[in-house]
Amino acid sequence: MAEFEPVLLANVGKDESWTRRVYEETGGYQAVRKVLGKIAPKDVAETVKASGLRGRGGAGFPTGLKWTFLPQNHPGPIYFCLNADESEPGTFNNRVLMEDDPHQVLEGMMISCYATNCKTAYYFMRCEYPLAYKRTLNAIKECYAAGYLGKNIFGSDYSLDIFLHRGAGAYICGEETGLIESLEGKRAWPRIKPPFPAVEGAFRKPTVVNNVETAACVKHIFDRGVDWFKSIGVPPDPNNPRDAGSYGPKLYCLSGHINKPGCYEAPLGITVTDLIEKYGGGIWKGRKAKACIPGGISMGILKADEFHCPLDFNGPGKFGCLGLGTAAVVVMDETVQMVDYLMNSARFFSHESCGQCTPCREGTSWATKLLTRIKAGKGRLKDLDLLAEIGDTIGIMPGTTICGLADGAAWPLKNTLKKYRGELEEYIKRTNPDGWANTEPVRALQLLSIH
Amino acid sequence: MAERILTDEMIAEINEFVSRYPSKQAATVPALHIVNEKLRCVPRQAVVEIAQILELHPSQVQDTLTFYGYFKQDKPGGNCRVWVCRSIACALRGADELLEHMEHKLHVKAGETTADGRISLEYAECLGACEHAPCILAGDDLHKSVSQEQADKLMAGIK
Ligand SMILES: Cc1cc2nc3c(=O)[nH]c(=O)nc-3n(C[C@H](O)[C@H](O)[C@H](O)COP(=O)(O)O)c2cc1C
Ligand code: SF4
Ligand code: FES
């Protein structure tokens, strides 16, 4: 196999890579010049559709297709929101792009806005990224000064404003309708869909929400062409009519018990083993791997003997996980106890649940309470059945909850109980040999379930 | 009448944001940030004044404020907010022990401010810098792969 050449990260590490000067010296803002006023917006969207680009924000929805859901010949305004909220534990690829190559993101955003006939775009960034904020703000200023933003950009008859908007710390702002509510100045409560944002989004107008890495990919499709994009990754699985293929380069975030944690660019479809060995320098301290999270904490867990799992949109699903998610791989070595991992993930979701839906709000906090007690050596074997029940009932999508957070909370529970039940039972027996002594009552709750 | 809290500069800054959005309400979070940056909290009187500028009911601003744990209301936070990440990638590299160590050293629990008003210690869910685990965001500065000794230095260096 030919050596893979990184494109998304090509400039990262260069001196002052975040300036317009360096960006343009390395070929930046050529793609947008080829597109604006020269290709019809509709055809730009068609090209993105033909490339097979799927959203990099977690759900993997085909980007060009999403754009075509906007109403035809709408009088406007149409809004574009760049989702730079990035709060999924394990995930930091957007931060790397925004800190080290903010112009790349802006160029992709310009092309995306042009394709969707949007003239006002909001760049929604979490407030925990001060450096990314500073560099992006500066990059936007540089663009206005150069006539790359504002009226008649790049000498075309197309005008575009991009406003940087800071969040205030809440994972749920990453969910697209939560993001829109937050942008509108309200609590980030996700909306019931439909209507989908493409029809009724920000300020009740048609809206596209895309991830930072997705926008960056759009730029490269116009620099290098659809054929280049499709030559990377994996074609659709012929046995799975719902698989749309996984094309293009992808940023993988490697963290946890790894020698060289970092953000690496590789083709979609690389296996966990290759990622760890070729890029991550192996497991730290010469230890053995025990498990990993394949794509952010919501996606579930892979055992070490499942590390041949390919990291494309269809891969982790074949190993009982929810999906590729954000492609953030968190590696755990043999010293990790699964009860700790479960506790950490349950605590995260109960902290971040927005509280609108009873199964999510109650289920996540119930699981946290149970796990706290188990961890403290007061667990009972039947607690594991309770946890399994919570996992099975809070996360049925679509149906009982408004957004996907509850589903994300369920997967670590479901996966761990299936793949590591023996270890959890042993922990309970070891730490609470009497079984019943000292147990505080656990609040019972009838969760909604549709079977 | 309560004394006015928002300065002319703050009001001008808020109004600059208002022009960016098709609804005045959308300037709520930017306005909260502006006040919070200057006062290290958003007192009730400021909520009333923000609501006046944005033509909202104070409860609408208050509702938004309370949803985001980032904003404090009743008393100002410390000179420096120190966020210690406790999510999975950091936890795998000792974040829980690090936070406990810092609580012990500063004689506060996460969420509290030191008696001398220097430091508000807080836990964070994933700071998006997992490759540098365990990490700490102190004010605008990200501290990477922080050991307990480095945390001691960091805490001592905050004025
Ligand atoms: C609870 C939850 C959190 C999410 N967080 C993010 C996020 O931080 N960043 C992101 O781009 N997408 C996030 N998403 C996915 C978005 O809802 C949306 O699908 C995505 O931004 C669309 O962009 P894409 O098509 O370019 O991937 C989240 C979804 C859910 C359910
Ligand atoms: S599923 Fe959870 S986070 Fe999503 S809307 Fe319902 S309560 Fe909020
Ligand atoms: S888990 Fe700590 S920064 Fe992501």
Side-chain angles (χ1 to χ4, degrees), chain B residues 145-158:
Chain B
S145 310
V146 185
S147 65
Q148 299 196 354
E149 294 73 48
Q150 283 164 319
D152 290 343
K153 264 201 223 140
L154 164 68
M155 291 182 286
I158 293 171

Side-chain angles (χ1 to χ4, degrees), chain A residues 79 86-92 95-96 120 122 126-131 133 163-170 172-173 178 181-189 203 254-259 261-263 284 293 297 330-332 336 340-341 344-345 347-348 351-352 354, chain B residues 16-30 32-34 37 56 60-71 83 85-96 99 123-133 137-142 144-145:
Chain A
Y79 294 111
E86 185 163 69
S87 317
E88 175 81 14
T91 311
F92 49 88
R95 193 197 90 242
V96 171
T120 309
Y122 296 102
R126 65 183 305 200
C127 67
E128 293 90 339
Y129 281 175
L131 185 60
Y133 184 80
F163 296 118
L164 190 53
H165 182 101
R166 258 166 98 203
I172 199 61
C173 292
E181 286 282 312
S182 181
L183 177 70
E184 291 181 358
K186 296 176 260 174
R187 46 174 67 203
W189 271 7
F203 310 106
L254 254 183
S255 66
H257 293 152
I258 200 90
N259 277 323
C263 175
W284 75 338
I293 295 163
I297 204 168
V330 187
V331 179
M332 296 179 230
V336 175
D340 290 326
Y341 149 72
N344 189 284
S345 88
R347 188 182 65 186
F348 171 80
H351 188 260
E352 298 299 321
C354 85
Chain B
E16 216 181 289
F17 272 96
V18 169
S19 63
R20 298 179 172 193
Y21 310 94
S23 92
K24 287 195 166 186
Q25 186 170 15
T28 303
V29 174
L32 293 170
H33 272 303
I34 288 165
E37 238 159 65
L56 299 168
Q60 288 173 289
V61 178
Q62 180 70 10
D63 184 54
T64 302
L65 179 150
T66 53
F67 183 77
Y68 303 99
Y70 186 81
F71 302 114
W83 305 89
C85 176
R86 65 173 192 178
S87 290
I88 189 72
C90 288
L92 289 172
R93 287 185 174 238
D96 289 341
L99 182 58
Y123 60 76
E125 298 296 355
C126 191
L127 289 168
C130 327
E131 80 269 50
H132 305 303
L137 185 67
D140 278 355
D141 298 322
L142 181 69
K144 304 168 177 177
S145 310

